[in-house]
Amino acid sequence: MAECIQCSFPMGDASQCPKCGTPREVQGRGAIHEIDVAHHGETWDQAEQFIILGLRTAIEMRCKALRVIHGYGASSGVSVIAPRAISLMRHLAETHDARFAKDQSNPGVSLIWLNKGRSKKLANEVYFKHESLSSSKSPSENWFDLAQQKKH
């Protein structure tokens, strides 16, 4: 469910936030939705679900992009989440007519730039159904293995 960008209150299908009154149409327009999947002890499975849910939220709120802070292993020297997050984000962007880009000023951040006509197409895709988030099987099942095969 989409949350208000101003106060984080769940909005549901309301045309404005029930708590603070911010209209839905101005909430995401021109905004970049940001999520951090690397600095709160997330596992890869949790990070994957956060990225997918973050993209859905960005689409619902009509944001122009999703900014994912995935880290790059500065504290430990090894990043488990970053390579997989980048691969997933590239896959999601390629599959859904969006554009993937690395943040030029921070190696631990990547973006998915959303196209204007994305909402209707993406909202109905299997990646964004709530059932997939609660199932034990990954919604993007073999995307990482396929990406690795393309490299070789």
Side-chain angles (χ1 to χ4, degrees), residues 44 48 84-85 87-88 91 138 140-147:
W44 164 243
E48 179 182 33
R84 289 182 167 212
S87 185
L88 173 62
H91 172 74
S138 170
S140 53
E141 206 159 315
N142 291 330
W143 66 267
F144 189 74
D145 296 332
L146 293 172

Side-chain angles (χ1 to χ4, degrees), residues 31-97:
I32 296 176
H33 182 59
E34 182 176 287
I35 58 172
D36 186 340
V37 298
H39 299 101
H40 304 289
E42 293 90 346
T43 65
W44 164 243
D45 291 332
Q46 291 169 328
E48 179 182 33
Q49 296 306 317
F50 288 149
I51 292 169
I52 293 167
L53 190 58
L55 186 56
R56 179 179 184 169
T57 301
I59 291 166
E60 287 176 355
M61 299 307 293
R62 297 185 180 118
C63 294
K64 66 180 179 181
L66 170 67
R67 185 173 191 259
V68 178
I69 301 168
H70 49 66
Y72 62 95
S75 61
S76 66
V78 178
S79 177
V80 174
I81 291 177
R84 289 182 167 212
I86 291 168
S87 185
L88 173 62
M89 291 174 70
R90 285 183 191 276
H91 172 74
L92 290 172
E94 182 181 307
T95 306
H96 299 296
D97 193 29

